[in-house]
């Protein structure tokens, strides 16, 4: 018998590319049943290879009782995948028409109680739900890559989404050990990518101005504030920067850190600047190929996750160490 999280035992994962495969691996690790669908014939082997590669990390993070790759089924047709599903996680390519059509198709067959969540990074759920039957059960459940490791899920409702659906999506993601946040408004890029983008813009500006190399700008984050950001976000970080008086003092004594804002850049990504970035990254990485960098990143992510231990949202009582 598969596990039950907030009434969900079986998840349909529609689209088994990079994100769908990672979601599938995570759902399986929580002891859920997963039916994945993808029209590309080669996707099944991609999905199975992805899960095999991710499984040792998931074992280290702690599998739920009953978690097994045997609970995975693969089909080509999304309509077959959703049969008997309690929750749908959609991960097809980022094309509005394709997703609207799919939502319409899925909605016509799924009972009203089944939530349909989209992983979309940039399309508004208000558009995706526009032709779906019972659009009140459509939400955005935006993960961070790779979803089998990163806990954050951004949950957003569209104009037609019910509050109950948002609450149920939050409850499900929380129950499986994710760290969902609720966005009260649809906004391009959601929250985390906007924050990343603000930092990226300034990183590019600093390079364009010749202030530091690509490698040194990266070090300024990864060996500096980035270490703190795994523990607390910008608000709490500056609350502590205010000393005993916390955020109140930070506002009064340091002007809320706003003095620098007028100095920040807004670079134009010219072809010349793009070449400097590409060259800088090549110098920074040397001979190390991307799969190796990704492996190193994931191993360090897990180590950080483990170190943070008690702060993680993973429910301890369901975990067994693999
Ligand atoms: N890649 C990221 O870093 C990232 C992060 C968060 C969210 N997302 C979002 O996740 C979604 C998927 O992105 P990805 O990077 O995994 O893309 P991808 O191209 O790797 O995978 C998409 C998969 O969907 C399949 N597909 C196409 N039409 C389909 C259909 N009708 N039914 C079922 N499967 C279908 C494709 O064959 C492909 O395997 C996008 O909406 C994207 O915005 C991506």
């Amino acid at each position: 018998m598969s596990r039950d999280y907030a009434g969900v035992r079986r998840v349909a994962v529609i689209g088994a590319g990079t994100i769908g495969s990672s979601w599938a691996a995570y759902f399986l690790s929580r002891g859920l049943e997963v039916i994945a669908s993808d029209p590309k014939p080669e996707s099944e082997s991609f999905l199975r290879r992805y899960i095999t590669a991710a499984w040792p990390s998931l074992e280290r993070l702690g599998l739920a009782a009953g978690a097994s790759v045997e609970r995975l089924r693969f089909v080509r047709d999304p309509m077959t995948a959703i049969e008997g599903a309690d929750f749908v996680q959609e991960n097809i390519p980022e094309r509005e028409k394709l997703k609207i059509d799919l939502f319409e198709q899925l909605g016509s067959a799924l009972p009203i109680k089944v939530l349909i969540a989209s992983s979309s990074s940039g399309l508004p759920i208000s558009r995706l739900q526009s032709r779906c039957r019972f659009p009140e059960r459509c939400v955005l459940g935006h993960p961070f890559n790779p979803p089998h490791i990163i806990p954050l899920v951004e949950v957003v409702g569209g104009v037609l989404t019910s509050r109950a659906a948002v609450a149920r999506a939050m409850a499900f993601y929380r129950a499986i050990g994710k760290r969902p946040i609720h966005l009260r408004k649809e906004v391009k890029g959601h929250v985390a990518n906007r924050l990343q983008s603000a930092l990226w813009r300034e990183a590019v500006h600093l390079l364009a101005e010749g202030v530091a190399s690509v490698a040194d700008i990266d070090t300024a984050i990864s060996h500096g504030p980035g270490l703190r950001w795994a523990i607390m976000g910008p608000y709490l970080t500056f609350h502590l920067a205010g000393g005993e008086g916390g955020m109140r003092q930070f506002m009064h004594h340091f002007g809320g850190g706003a003095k620098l804002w007028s100095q920040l850049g807004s670079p134009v990504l010219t072809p010349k600047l793009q070449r400097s970035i590409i060259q800088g990254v090549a110098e920074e990485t040397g001979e190390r190929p991307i799969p190796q960098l990704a492996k190193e990143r994931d191993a360090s992510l897990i180590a950080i996750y483990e170190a943070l231990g008690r702060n993680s949202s993973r429910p301890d009582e369901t975990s067994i160490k693999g």
Side-chain angles (χ1 to χ4, degrees), residues 105-320:
Q105 214 190 347
L106 299 179
S108 68
L110 282 166
I112 188 169
K113 66 176 195 316
V114 179
L115 297 183
I116 310 177
S118 173
S119 293
S120 174
S121 299
L123 301 170
I125 190 67
S126 289
R127 297 279 309 140
L128 306 188
Q129 71 187 167
S130 57
R131 293 207 319 263
C132 184
R133 189 175 67 124
F134 309 134
E136 58 271 35
R137 50 49 189 285
C138 301
V139 296
L140 207 123
H142 178 245
F144 239 62
N145 197 22
H148 69 274
I149 298 180
I150 307 271
L152 178 68
V153 183
E154 296 173 307
V155 177
V156 196
V159 283
L160 301 174
T161 308
S162 70
R163 281 210 273 190
V166 168
R168 280 177 56 217
M170 294 284 292
F172 168 65
Y173 288 129
R174 208 177 282 120
I176 60 170
K178 287 287 164 197
R179 192 58 78 94
I181 63 164
H182 175 212
L183 277 61
R184 297 176 192 137
K185 272 185 183 180
E186 289 181 275
V187 56
K188 191 88 188 151
H190 318 314
V191 167
N193 272 335
R194 288 177 75 100
L195 293 171
Q196 282 207 128
S197 200
L199 182 66
W200 173 235
R201 182 169 71 176
E202 187 57 21
V204 171
H205 172 68
L206 291 170
L207 181 75
E209 292 297 305
V211 174
S213 68
V214 161
D216 281 348
I217 295 169
D218 268 355
T219 300
I221 290 299
S222 61
H223 288 65
L227 290 170
R228 291 196 304 223
W229 288 336
I231 304 157
M232 49 181 69
Y235 286 102
L236 272 192
T237 296
F238 287 135
H239 181 51
L240 267 64
E244 294 277 305
M247 185 53 89
R248 192 176 299 279
Q249 191 159 326
F250 182 67
M251 288 296 165
H252 287 150
H253 289 215
F254 304 104
K259 285 193 191 117
L260 261 184
W261 289 358
S262 64
Q263 305 298 308
L264 299 180
S266 210
V268 177
L269 259 177
T270 59
K272 185 165 175 259
L273 184 49
Q274 290 180 30
R275 282 196 297 278
S276 308
I277 294 170
I278 293 165
Q279 173 66 23
V281 170
E283 284 164 14
E284 182 182 12
T285 56
E287 298 294 308
R288 288 179 300 162
I290 287 172
Q292 186 192 332
L293 292 168
K295 213 168 160 189
E296 286 169 16
R297 177 203 60 192
D298 289 355
S300 300
L301 271 173
I302 290 168
I304 291 169
Y305 198 92
E306 283 176 336
L308 292 175
R310 70 191 164 76
N311 289 325
S312 92
S313 58
R314 201 169 286 258
D316 289 336
E317 70 278 12
T318 68
S319 298
I320 49 162

Side-chain angles (χ1 to χ4, degrees), residues 8-16 19-21 23-24 27-28 32-38 47 71-75 77-92 102 106 110 114-119 172-173:
V8 176
R9 288 176 184 278
R10 180 186 288 188
V11 181
V13 169
I14 311 297
I19 293 301
S21 297
W23 264 128
F27 293 139
L28 290 169
L32 288 160
E33 235 177 277
V34 175
I35 307 193
S37 92
D38 199 294
L47 168 68
R71 291 193 193 279
L72 173 72
R73 258 182 62 208
F74 179 86
V75 293
D77 178 17
M79 300 308 277
T80 311
I82 59 172
E83 279 168 22
D86 305 307
F87 188 91
V88 176
Q89 186 76 43
E90 170 277 310
N91 321 275
I92 70 168
L102 178 71
L106 299 179
L110 282 166
V114 179
L115 297 183
I116 310 177
S118 173
S119 293
F172 168 65
Y173 288 129

